[in-house]
Amino acid sequence: MHPTKSYAAAAANDPLNPYIIQRREPGEYDVVIDIQYCGVCHSDVHQVRNEWGNSTFPMVPGHEIIGKVVKIGSSVSRYKVGDIVGVGCFVDSCCECHPCQEGLQQYCENGANLTYNGVERDGKTPTFGGYSTQIVVNEKYVLAIPSNLPLDQAAPLLCAGITTYSPLRQWKVKPGDKVGIIGLGGLGHMAVKLASAMGAEVTVLSTSNKKKEDAIRFGAKHFINTKDSKTFVDYVNYFDFMINTAAGNIDLSQYLPLLKLDKTMVCVGAPEHPSTLNVFPLIMKRRRLAGSLVGGIPETQEMLNFCGEHNITAEIELITIDKINEAYERMIKSDVRYRFVIDINSLR
Ligand code: NAP
Ligand code: ZN
């Protein structure tokens, strides 16, 4: 075992503080990664605060990890020392169930092993995430990062990128489709960039006018302030597809009528509290409400390659690790432009 520097929350709602974790010696198929950058996802905040009710402590968050391979196990064939690689939201899965066989490891029927706030395949060793200087991961769960992307800005692709890319692909968004993105935070701004690169006509639905210029700069054609009640009259039957990235509850019954007949809203935002739903907007136009969880390993690699080809990365605020608690407070206030990324060198 290797003592490794990290930042951890000792209990729900505690601030994050320096903490030493133990990383395993690399097994036959393991890659040891010196972490350079780690993005800060709102899921980190939800879990540190135990908002989903499944948190275990001490918790070292972080699932938008980019770093350099510094050591490999004896049978590793996909990566070599010196490669720049990424790790996303899970680090293992059963490999045997139907979803795993299909490359949809995030939906593993035996439980994907989350990068943090989870356990290894032994069912008991806790996993610790990317707010740390090193991580040891089986090569099958490690991604290759296109060489043209700046690494700090590419880190958020490992969660915010794939979480929004996957539904755009699954629902086959095509050029000219009118796509609505609810919430312009980490996920939302990636959704705008990705959907625009796919040729969609993107509209951002945001809770203020503050982010309007940015939304247009990221590729959106239109911007709607959802505090303006006219929105929900003017845009009825307008969208071919919507992604809801809001970290808090929205009134789904108010937003669903903005979809055309037969069209779908995919929820990726995972608020603390359940939503209530008036089913009439679904019934009256055979509209659909769906959910989606990150993306599998093959699709994550496809997304990274797509971002490499289209030069797509996140807009980031690079922070040192000691600013992490402040960053959480700002995310809670929807004041993030548009992803905090930790420079892990500040932890060394
Ligand atoms: P974020 O950077 O904090 O952005 C969330 C945005 O949602 C805010 O900037 C704000 O945008 C909007 N928002 C927040 N509270 C709202 C409310 N009460 N009503 C309406 N809009 C609200 O968060 P993120 O990292 O993008 O994550 C967003 C959500 O996705 C979180 O719940 C996170 O846990 C979840 N998530 C899910 C998956 C998955 O696989 N499904 C993966 C990653 C994250 P405006 O200022 O534009 O209104
Ligand atoms: Zn995330």
Side-chain angles (χ1 to χ4, degrees):
M1 300 296 264
H2 269 294
T4 303
K5 286 185 173 179
S6 77
Y7 252 53
N13 296 309
D14 271 15
L16 282 88
N17 278 307
Y19 182 68
I20 301 291
I21 53 171
Q22 301 295 327
R23 293 293 191 195
R24 65 173 184 263
E25 292 301 325
E28 213 184 331
Y29 293 99
D30 282 340
V31 169
V32 182
I33 302 164
D34 260 1
I35 302 177
Q36 295 179 343
Y37 299 103
C38 184
V40 181
C41 180
H42 208 113
S43 302
D44 301 349
V45 181
H46 290 309
Q47 290 175 94
V48 161
R49 294 175 179 234
N50 196 21
E51 289 177 357
W52 297 338
N54 67 347
S55 295
T56 54
F57 297 93
M59 184 189 296
V60 177
H63 57 207
E64 295 185 336
I65 298 168
I66 281 194
K68 191 185 269 187
V69 176
V70 289
K71 199 172 175 188
I72 55 172
S74 56
S75 300
V76 167
S77 58
R78 300 179 189 205
Y79 299 101
K80 57 183 191 311
V81 169
D83 284 353
I84 298 295
V85 295
V87 177
C89 296
F90 51 90
V91 288
D92 216 335
S93 66
C94 83
C95 299
E96 281 159 16
C97 68
H98 182 67
C100 279
Q101 299 273 317
E102 298 280 303
L104 297 168
Q105 297 87 349
Q106 74 276 34
Y107 302 119
C108 175
E109 286 171 3
N110 296 301
N113 303 91
L114 301 179
T115 305
Y116 70 88
N117 195 27
V119 288
E120 312 260 357
R121 285 246 54 85
D122 66 7
K124 55 179 189 216
T125 308
T127 54
F128 296 115
Y131 299 5
S132 61
T133 53
Q134 259 194 2
I135 192 166
V136 183
V137 184
N138 182 305
E139 63 171 339
K140 279 201 267 184
Y141 299 85
V142 173
L143 288 310
I145 306 298
S147 60
N148 58 315
L149 300 180
L151 301 187
D152 49 357
Q153 296 166 34
L157 301 178
L158 276 309
C159 174
I162 184 58
T163 301
T164 49
Y165 181 89
S166 186
L168 290 167
R169 283 290 186 234
Q170 179 67 29
W171 274 270
K172 300 187 169 53
V173 164
K174 55 184 193 310
D177 279 357
K178 290 189 165 68
V179 170
I181 305 298
I182 304 169
L184 195 67
L187 266 59
H189 94 290
M190 287 313 312
V192 172
K193 291 187 176 200
L194 291 165
S196 309
M198 292 173 192
E201 186 185 308
V202 178
T203 300
V204 168
L205 298 99
S206 186
T207 51
S208 75
N209 279 327
K210 287 187 226 159
K211 301 175 179 172
K212 183 169 180 177
E213 281 75 36
D214 289 341
I216 304 299
R217 182 160 55 86
F218 302 153
K221 278 267 169 13
H222 314 285
F223 183 93
I224 298 177
N225 181 345
T226 52
K227 292 280 186 258
D228 177 357
S229 55
K230 249 168 64 72
T231 294
F232 298 99
V233 178
D234 292 351
Y235 288 87
V236 170
N237 301 327
Y238 180 82
F239 291 110
D240 296 293
F241 186 61
M242 296 179 90
I243 302 182
N244 172 16
T245 77
N249 287 101
I250 62 168
D251 180 356
L252 291 168
S253 322
Q254 194 180 23
Y255 286 72
L256 284 166
L258 308 189
L259 289 167
K260 294 178 187 168
L261 172 71
D262 274 336
K263 300 301 182 186
T264 301
M265 178 196 290
V266 174
C267 293
V268 292
E272 177 180 8
H273 302 292
S275 300
T276 53
L277 179 68
N278 173 350
V279 294
F280 275 91
L282 294 177
I283 291 172
M284 298 311 285
K285 286 275 184 320
R286 205 161 58 187
R287 298 179 179 104
R288 296 142 197 221
L289 182 63
S292 184
L293 175 65
V294 294
I297 294 294
E299 196 173 52
T300 305
Q301 193 61 62
E302 180 191 307
M303 175 277 307
L304 286 164
N305 298 346
F306 179 89
C307 289
E309 279 158 35
H310 294 263
N311 255 306
I312 295 175
T313 53
E315 306 291 309
I316 66 160
E317 256 186 72
L318 192 63
I319 58 167
T320 49
I321 190 82
D322 56 307
K323 295 284 184 290
I324 188 64
N325 296 302
E326 260 170 64
Y328 278 21
E329 292 304 325
R330 282 187 49 199
M331 286 183 89
I332 289 161
K333 287 188 246 157
S334 298
D335 176 25
V336 48
R337 305 295 174 99
Y338 280 84
R339 196 59 141 187
F340 291 107
V341 172
I342 307 165
D343 181 351
I344 295 295
N345 262 329
S346 62
L347 182 56
R348 290 202 161 82

